[in-house]
Every structure is written in C-alpha cells, then in structure tokens.
Amino acid sequence: MAASVLSAVKTEAQIINNSMLEEDPNDNSATNEEEKIKPRWGPYHKGAKELAGLYSRGKRMQEIVCVCICITLMVMNLYFMALHFKFEKVTTIFLVALAGIFTADFASGLVHWAADTWGSVELPILGKNFIRPFREHHIDPTSITRHDFIETNGDNFMLTIPGLTYMTYHFCFKTNEEVQNYYYWFSYLYLLAIFVSLTNQIHKWSHTYFGLPRWVTLLQDLHIILPKRHHRIHHVSPHETYFCITTGWLNYPLEKLAFWTTLEWLIELVTGCRPRADDFKWAQKRE
C-alpha cells in the first residue's frame, strides 16, 4: 500500500536526485562532483553547521523541565484513568482514543507545515528556539538521529502540558460522577497527548536506518507509526508535501485534497509572503 501512495506523489528519480541519501551508512550524500565540494545536504553543509550551533543552554534547560513535568503528569493521569476505568465503556474508549491518534497526526502536520513554510530563524524567541530545528532538519535530515531523548522530544512534551494539567485538575478536584461524565473526553485527550509527545521520537525513528529495535521496525512496516519510506517523500526538495509525521495516515488524503497548497496560496494572496523563503535561504548557504 505504501508503495502505491509513494508512486502517486514523487517518482524514484525525484527521490534520488532531490533528497539526501539517508540510508547510505558511509554518508555519501553527494550525487555529483560539485556536491562533494559544496555539500547540498548533511552535517558538513555550511547552513546546517551554523544552525546546529544556535542550540543554546537556555533551550536545553527548557526542554529538560518540560520533559520532567510532562512525564510526571502522564504517570499521574494514567493512574487516574485506570482508577476510573469501566470495562463496559471499552469500545467507545477505543474509538475516541483512535480519534486522538488521528488528531495528533493532523496536528503534527499543521505544526510541521507552519514551521517549515513560514517564519524565520531571525524571529525573536520563536526563531532560534522553535523554527531553527526545522531549518536544520531539511539541510541535514539525519541530524535528528544524533540528538538525545531530551533534544528530540522536549518541545513536543511541552505542547502536551496544558491538556495533561487540565486532566489532572479534574481527577483531583471533581467528583467521581463528574469524572465519569468526562471519561471519554479524557480518553481522547490522553491518547492525543501520548502521540503528540511521541511524534518527534517516531519522526527520529523514520530517519534511523540502522540499529532500530525489531518492534519499532514492525510498527513502521505495518504503518502504525510513520514508516521511513513514506516520510522520505517529505524530504524531496522543496519539502512541500507529506507534513504529517506521527502516523502519516493523513498525508495521502491531504495531498489529494491539495490542502497545504491551497492554504499556502491563500496566505500568499493575503500577505504577499512566499512559502519556504527562509528555508530556501538556508539551503543556499553552501561552502
């Protein structure tokens, strides 16, 4: 199924000529002599090195704090979810939890598209802290495989904290009857939080071609989480499609609906801003 989806979006020639050869264990990302001198992709690209150097101690501390808070809230909420669980609700819980996974996939695409397409590394606060990793990732897709757990997941864990805090408040201060009335909603929120927090870890695995545990590759092969081959489509320059990176289930229908291109056309029409202008600027910083 994945192969048929790919063939409808990008050709093999486009993949080979316009994206980094990530699966090459020798890091031979150059496809011609010019690219050996002026790397088009990878850790030796001038722009990639400059962007990697902008990762700050303050950013690191923010990620550590967010990971600690998020994990604490997840454990607390899992306990409360188990405490209030009723078996007769299991079918509906499964359906709303599945809706949470679909929402996480769409949210990953929306955030990914926005950060890839608009804004600049020079923006105050947001630029270096949140847009910078997206610019680096397009020039050096395998950089994410060299990031540890904190750097990989800190921002996604941060996004889930408001929703998890909302759940914890209700479990701690509302009556059992009130909790039961909201249990389906909490099931949706909890699975949404789990998959949002894991999105960048799943994304990292989609760029890891060697040494993954068998259970991860099995989930990729079954397309329960984002497969490598599927995500490779996004990394075909100019990175204008397949933005959903949690499961990737919504990429093909959104592509067929021209969802992202229509949004970009409307925004450019209203604002005059060109999609991916900053992304293109960084890609041109070659030695």
Side-chain angles (χ1 to χ4, degrees):
M1 184 186 78
S4 64
V5 170
L6 290 175
S7 62
V9 179
K10 299 291 181 183
T11 66
E12 285 295 321
Q14 287 175 314
I15 293 172
I16 293 170
N17 295 326
N18 294 303
S19 67
M20 181 177 172
L21 305 178
E22 298 179 44
E23 65 270 40
D24 187 340
N26 298 312
D27 193 28
N28 297 322
S29 57
T31 57
N32 55 54
E33 289 301 317
E34 181 188 3
E35 290 183 11
K36 292 179 182 178
I37 302 169
K38 298 180 179 180
R40 189 179 178 190
W41 325 99
Y44 306 113
H45 185 287
K46 181 180 179 181
K49 290 190 286 186
E50 185 177 339
L51 287 163
L54 295 176
Y55 183 62
S56 67
R57 180 177 295 182
K59 175 64 176 172
R60 177 74 175 183
M61 288 304 300
Q62 170 251 309
E63 291 169 343
I64 291 172
V65 170
C66 289
V67 167
C68 291
I69 293 173
C70 178
I71 291 175
T72 301
L73 290 171
M74 280 187 175
V75 172
M76 291 176 63
N77 281 301
L78 180 60
Y79 167 76
F80 287 127
M81 292 288 289
L83 188 65
H84 292 279
F85 175 77
K86 293 186 182 298
F87 189 77
E88 60 266 24
K89 295 182 176 182
V90 67
T91 302
T92 307
I93 290 171
F94 173 78
L95 292 175
V96 297
L98 189 63
I101 298 172
F102 272 102
T103 306
D105 196 41
F106 179 75
S108 75
L110 190 63
V111 172
H112 190 185
W113 165 79
D116 273 6
T117 310
W118 312 106
S120 165
V121 176
E122 283 72 39
L123 283 174
I125 303 175
L126 291 178
K128 290 182 181 179
N129 290 307
F130 300 106
I131 294 177
R132 175 199 62 81
F134 290 87
R135 300 292 177 268
E136 180 189 3
H137 185 59
H138 281 178
I139 306 169
D140 181 13
T142 56
S143 63
I144 193 172
T145 66
R146 300 187 294 275
H147 295 167
D148 65 6
F149 184 86
I150 297 295
E151 186 174 357
T152 300
N153 299 296
D155 287 341
N156 284 72
F157 276 49
M158 176 188 68
L159 293 174
T160 67
I161 291 173
L164 290 170
T165 302
Y166 166 82
M167 288 178 62
T168 304
Y169 169 80
H170 277 74
F171 282 128
C172 290
F173 297 106
K174 299 294 183 179
T175 66
N176 180 65
E177 183 180 355
E178 289 174 312
V179 168
Q180 289 301 326
N181 289 337
Y182 283 96
Y183 196 85
Y184 294 138
W185 170 238
F186 293 154
S187 300
Y188 168 81
L189 279 183
Y190 194 71
L191 262 292
L192 174 60
I194 290 289
F195 272 82
V196 167
S197 63
L198 290 177
T199 287
N200 223 29
Q201 185 63 51
I202 293 169
H203 180 204
K204 178 178 180 176
W205 288 333
S206 76
H207 287 281
T208 305
Y209 283 80
F210 312 97
L212 283 177
R214 175 58 186 153
W215 65 271
V216 173
T217 59
L218 180 62
L219 290 175
Q220 290 176 332
D221 292 342
L222 295 173
H223 204 156
I224 295 172
I225 61 175
L226 185 69
K228 299 180 185 70
R229 186 69 174 161
H230 181 95
H231 183 53
R232 184 71 176 271
I233 290 300
H234 172 70
H235 281 275
V236 175
S237 183
H239 311 93
E240 87 285 22
T241 189
Y242 273 38
F243 292 99
C244 300
I245 55 172
T246 304
T247 62
W249 296 345
L250 295 177
N251 279 321
Y252 188 65
L254 290 174
E255 172 70 15
K256 288 303 171 184
L257 290 169
F259 182 79
W260 306 115
T261 52
T262 302
L263 276 182
E264 290 170 15
W265 177 80
L266 288 171
I267 291 172
E268 186 173 10
L269 182 68
V270 172
T271 67
C273 297
R274 294 181 58 194
R276 288 169 288 280
D278 189 61
D279 197 51
F280 182 74
K281 181 190 78 174
W282 282 97
Q284 298 309 301
K285 290 192 174 188
R286 298 167 63 184
E287 290 181 335

